[in-house]
C-alpha cells in the first residue's frame, strides 16, 4: 500500500490494472469529497499531501520488458488479473490493521480471545462483518416490500379475472376464480441477495468468528418471508426508493463471491476487493479513544471559520467540544516531525481555540517514541501506535490509551487509570 513495487506483468494484465485503477477513482468510496475552503485530515498518505490529484487509485508504469512499477494509493485488498492476483497489504502489520478495522466496524468487543492474523484472508472476515452489520441495520429499519404479480385460484375475485381459465374450472365443477393480482411482500431481488449472503456467512468455513456466524444466522431466520436467490438477482440495482440498501447490497455481493460478486478479468476467475484505508483507520482509532477515554466525549468535528469566503476545519478528533483537537495520520512516522502535520494540527486547534492538540500516527518499530512540541501557548503531542509484528494489538491499544489518557487528564480533569 502506497509503496511502489516492481512486478512482472503481461501487457494485457497491465492494461486491466490501469483500467481498474481509473474505475475505482470514479467510485465515491475512493474519492473523498473536498469542499473549497475546507481542510480535512482524512486523505493523507505517507507524504502528508492529499492524493486526490492522481487520476487513478492504481498507477502502473512500464519499466522494461515485462517489468512494471505498480503503486496502489491508500487501499488494501486483492486484485484479480488474467492469470495472476496481486495482494495489497497495509502499511502497518496486518494484525494491527485488522484490529483497528474491526473496531471501526463495531464498538463492542465480541470476546477477549486473541486472534492470529497473518494473511489477506482476514479481510474476507472483515468484509463479512461489515456485511452483517449493514444487513442488521436494514432489517431494523424495515425490509423493503414490493408488489409482484401473482396468478392463483381464489374463492373470491381479486384483481383481474382470467375468464377462459375460470370458465374451464366451472365446466369441471370447480368453484374457483382464476385471478391475476398484485401481492405486496418482501420477497424481492434486493432482499433475496441479502438473505443469501447471511446464509453464506452463517455457514462459511473460512470464518472463525463464532459470534459473527450467530448474527448472520439470526438475520437469515429473521428474513423468513424472503425466498431463495433466483437467476438475475445478483444484477439488481438500487434506485431512488431503495438507495439506503446500497451499502448492504454491495457488501452482500462481495461476500457471495462466486455467485456474482467477483470481478472477472478475461477468462481468469478471481476476487477483487479494495478497501480505502485512511478513513477506516481514523474511525478505528476514534473508536479506541471513545472507549478508552470515557467519560470524555470523543468525536470528529467540523467548524466553519468564515462564511465569506467559506472556510472550515474538519479535525478527526474533538475532545469535550474542542478542549483538545486531534488528527489521525495513517502513515509510518519517523523520529522527525512532519511540517505539514504540525501545521494542520495547529490550524485545527486554532479553529477550536483548543488548549492542546494531538496527532495519532503509526510506526513499524518500537524505537519511534511519542514526542511533544510547544507552539506558543499550544502544546502539541504526537502519539505513536507501534504496529510491530511481534506485539499483540490488544496490548498496544491498552498502552496507547493509557498514554493518551494521561495527556488528556491534564486538561479535562480525567483520572488516569492503570
Amino acid at each position: 500500500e502506497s509503496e511502489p513495487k516492481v512486478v512482472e506483468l503481461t501487457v494485457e494484465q497491465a492494461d486491466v490494472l490501469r483500467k481498474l485503477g481509473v474505475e475505482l477513482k470514479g467510485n465515491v468510496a475512493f474519492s473523498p469529497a473536498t469542499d473549497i475552503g475546507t481542510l480535512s485530515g482524512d486523505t493523507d498518505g505517507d507524504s502528508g499531501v492529499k492524493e486526490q490529484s492522481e487520476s487513478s487509485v492504481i498507477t502502473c508504469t512500464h519499466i522494461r520488458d515485462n517489468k512494471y512499477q505498480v503503486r496502489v494509493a491508500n487501499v488494501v485488498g486483492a486484485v484479480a488479473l488474467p492469470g495472476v492476483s496481486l495482494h495489497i497489504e497495509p502499511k502497518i502489520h496486518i494484525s494491527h490493521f485488522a484490529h483497528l478495522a474491526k473496531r471501526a466496524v463495531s464498538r463492542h468487543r465480541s470476546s477477549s480471545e486473541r486472534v492470529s492474523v497473518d494473511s489477506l484472508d482476514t479481510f474476507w472476515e472483515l468484509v463479512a462483518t461489515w456485511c452483517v452489520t449493514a444487513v442488521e441495520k436494514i432489517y431494523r429499519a424495515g425490509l423493503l416490500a414490493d408488489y409482484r404479480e401473482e396468478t392463483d385460484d381464489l374463492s373470491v375475485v381479486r384483481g383481474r379475472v382470467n375468464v377462459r381459465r375460470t370458465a374451464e374450472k366451472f365446466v369441471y365443477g370447480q368453484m374457483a376464480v382464476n385471478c391475476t393480482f398484485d401481492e405486496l411482500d418482501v420477497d424481492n431481488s434486493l432482499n433475496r441477495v441479502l438473505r443469501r449472503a447471511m446464509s453464506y456467512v452463517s455457514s462459511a468455513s473460512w470464518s472463525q468468528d463464532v459470534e459473527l456466524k450467530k448474527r448472520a444466522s439470526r438475520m437469515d431466520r429473521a428474513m423468513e418471508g424472503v425466498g431463495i436467490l433466483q437467476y438475475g438477482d445478483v444484477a439488481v440495482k438500487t434506485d431512488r426508493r431503495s438507495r439506503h440498501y446500497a451499502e448492504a447490497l454491495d457488501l452482500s455481493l462481495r461476500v457471495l463471491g462466486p455467485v456474482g460478486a467477483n470481478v472477472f478479468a478475461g477468462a481468469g476467475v478471481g476476487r477483487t476487493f479494495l478497501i480505502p484505508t485512511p478513513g477506516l483507520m481514523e474511525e478505528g482509532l476514534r473508536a479506541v479513544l471513545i472507549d478508552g477515554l470515557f467519560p470524555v466525549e470523543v468525536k470528529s468535528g467540523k467548524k466553519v471559520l468564515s462564511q465569506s469566503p467559506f472556510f472550515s476545519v474538519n479535525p478527526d478528533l474533538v475532545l469535550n467540544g474542542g478542549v483538545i483537537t486531534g488528527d489521525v495520520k495513517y502513515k509510518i512516522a519517523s523520529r522527525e516531525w512532519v511540517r505539514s502535520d504540525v501545521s494542520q494540527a495547529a490550524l485545527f486547534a486554532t479553529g477550536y481555540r483548543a488548549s492542546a492538540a494531538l496527532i495519532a500516527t503509526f510506526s513499524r518499530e518500537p524505537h519511534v517514541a511519542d514526542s511533544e512540541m510547544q507552539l506558543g501557548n499550544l502544546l502539541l503531542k504526537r502519539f505513536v501506535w507501534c504496529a510491530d509484528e511481534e506485539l499483540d494489538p490488544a496490548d498496544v491499544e491498552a498502552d496507547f490509551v493509557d498514554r493518551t489518557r494521561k495527556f488528556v487528564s491534564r486538561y479535562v480533569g480525567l483520572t488516569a487509570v492503570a
Side-chain angles (χ1 to χ4, degrees):
E1 179 193 9
S2 299
E3 293 183 5
K5 296 291 182 181
V6 176
V7 296
E8 293 187 4
L9 299 172
T10 65
V11 173
E12 179 189 6
Q13 291 168 346
D15 288 343
V16 171
L17 192 59
R18 292 190 187 103
K19 182 179 179 181
L20 177 62
V22 173
E23 289 175 351
L24 290 176
K25 188 63 179 181
N27 187 313
V28 293
F30 294 89
S31 304
T34 302
D35 298 327
I36 296 175
T38 297
L39 184 61
S40 174
D42 295 340
T43 57
D44 295 305
D46 280 336
S47 64
V49 179
K50 294 182 185 299
E51 302 198 50
Q52 293 174 331
S53 59
E54 295 185 8
S55 59
S56 174
V57 172
I58 304 170
T59 57
C60 181
T61 306
H62 182 247
I63 300 176
R64 63 181 181 279
D65 300 329
N66 62 341
K67 304 286 186 181
Y68 289 81
Q69 180 175 275
V70 177
R71 181 179 182 273
V72 185
N74 290 329
V75 294
V76 296
V79 177
L81 300 174
V84 67
S85 292
L86 303 182
H87 285 190
I88 301 97
E89 297 184 347
K91 302 172 188 176
I92 59 178
H93 191 263
I94 194 168
S95 61
H96 294 266
F97 179 86
H99 178 85
L100 286 171
K102 286 184 177 181
R103 295 303 304 275
V105 173
S106 177
R107 287 281 316 284
H108 69 274
R109 299 169 189 251
S110 57
S111 72
S112 58
E113 181 182 0
R114 303 295 173 88
V115 180
S116 175
V117 181
D118 56 8
S119 75
L120 279 169
D121 292 339
T122 305
F123 287 126
W124 288 112
E125 194 161 285
L126 285 176
V127 173
T129 302
W130 294 331
C131 179
V132 172
T133 301
V135 173
E136 288 173 338
K137 182 179 178 181
I138 291 292
Y139 181 78
R140 287 193 296 267
L143 296 177
L144 190 66
D146 280 331
Y147 283 102
R148 57 186 173 88
E149 191 175 84
E150 288 280 337
T151 299
D152 200 2
D153 297 331
L154 306 175
S155 58
V156 295
V157 174
R158 180 182 177 188
R160 185 177 71 255
V161 176
N162 299 317
V163 178
R164 182 175 178 179
R165 293 180 185 177
T166 300
E168 289 175 351
K169 292 185 179 299
F170 285 175
V171 169
Y172 289 101
Q174 299 177 18
M175 301 303 293
V177 182
N178 186 267
C179 302
T180 298
F181 53 92
D182 290 331
E183 184 73 37
L184 179 66
D185 61 20
V186 294
D187 187 15
N188 53 60
S189 295
L190 287 169
N191 292 330
R192 287 194 292 267
V193 170
L194 267 54
R195 186 180 185 187
R196 180 67 184 92
M198 295 302 94
S199 174
Y200 179 67
V201 172
S202 67
S203 59
S205 59
W206 43 261
S207 176
Q208 305 302 315
D209 192 331
V210 176
E211 181 61 28
L212 176 64
K213 288 184 175 182
K214 288 181 180 179
R215 290 168 57 196
S217 180
R218 284 195 294 268
M219 280 295 96
D220 184 24
R221 295 193 302 271
M223 299 171 75
E224 185 178 358
V226 180
I228 62 173
L229 196 68
Q230 299 179 11
Y231 179 79
D233 282 347
V234 294
V236 66
K237 304 292 184 183
T238 57
D239 55 21
R240 186 175 180 179
R241 191 168 67 97
S242 61
R243 61 178 180 268
H244 62 290
Y245 267 68
E247 181 182 18
L249 176 64
D250 178 67
L251 290 168
S252 294
L253 290 173
R254 293 180 190 279
V255 164
L256 289 175
V259 177
N262 293 347
V263 175
F264 297 96
V269 179
R271 294 184 291 189
T272 292
F273 71 101
L274 292 175
I275 304 170
T277 52
L280 187 63
M281 292 298 96
E282 173 198 323
E283 187 64 32
L285 267 177
R286 186 160 48 239
V288 164
L289 294 176
I290 287 173
D291 289 341
L293 299 181
F294 183 83
V296 173
E297 181 189 48
V298 180
K299 61 181 181 180
S300 60
K302 178 174 182 178
K303 187 171 185 179
V304 177
L305 303 182
S306 172
Q307 289 288 355
S308 181
F310 181 82
F311 192 89
S312 68
V313 290
N314 301 342
D316 300 330
L317 304 169
V318 177
L319 281 63
N320 271 13
V323 175
I324 300 174
T325 58
D327 197 16
V328 177
K329 294 296 183 185
Y330 178 54
K331 61 174 67 174
I332 304 304
S334 66
R335 295 181 181 180
E336 304 298 325
W337 288 89
V338 177
R339 182 177 293 273
S340 60
D341 294 354
V342 173
S343 300
Q344 195 170 40
L347 179 58
F348 291 157
T350 302
Y352 276 79
R353 298 186 179 180
S355 301
L358 63 86
I359 295 174
T361 189
F362 299 85
S363 72
R364 296 192 185 109
E365 300 171 348
H367 70 267
V368 181
D370 294 347
S371 54
E372 61 181 50
M373 176 188 299
Q374 191 71 42
L375 300 172
N377 295 325
L378 178 71
L379 179 63
L380 173 61
K381 182 86 172 186
R382 186 183 72 172
F383 293 95
V384 179
W385 179 293
C386 184
D388 187 284
E389 180 179 355
E390 302 297 325
L391 298 179
D392 188 294
D395 294 336
V396 174
E397 175 182 330
D399 180 60
F400 182 86
V401 167
D402 182 57
R403 288 181 279 125
T404 309
R405 191 179 183 90
K406 289 176 181 176
F407 174 74
V408 172
S409 65
R410 302 186 206 173
Y411 302 93
V412 297
L414 183 65
T415 301
V417 294

